[in-house]
Amino acid sequence: MKLKLSPLVSDIFISIYAVISLYIRFKLESETPISTINSMVIGVCFVVIIWVLIKLKVLNPNWFGLFNYKKK
């Protein structure tokens, strides 16, 4: 059985994940001397995790209905 989240749950998960990952990055950068390249690598790693989950169809974002395309 493949894990597949609904669009609303996916949107909420991605939003919470983004806020937590930004909090972790800001807290880490303020407590330790970290270079800009290291910070960018950490950010890219956080984004790649979400991208992989979307590509594997675990997350199915609807982007809170912002991009509702009418299908003909």
Side-chain angles (χ1 to χ4, degrees), residues 1-70:
M1 186 172 162
K2 190 174 180 181
L3 179 66
K4 185 176 181 182
L5 298 177
S6 70
L8 181 60
V9 174
S10 295
D11 289 342
I12 293 170
F13 178 81
I14 291 170
S15 300
I16 292 171
Y17 180 83
V19 169
I20 290 173
S21 66
L22 283 173
Y23 173 76
I24 290 171
R25 284 183 62 201
F26 289 148
K27 186 158 181 68
L28 177 70
E29 289 174 10
S30 67
E31 292 177 354
T32 59
I34 191 169
S35 70
T36 305
I37 298 297
N38 288 342
S39 176
M40 288 176 28
V41 168
I42 292 170
V44 167
C45 290
F46 280 131
V47 171
V48 166
I49 291 170
I50 290 293
W51 179 76
V52 167
L53 289 174
I54 291 172
K55 286 297 178 184
L56 291 175
K57 303 287 186 190
V58 173
L59 295 176
N60 302 301
N62 188 22
W63 310 115
F64 294 107
L66 292 175
F67 303 110
N68 285 335
Y69 297 109
K70 294 182 181 179

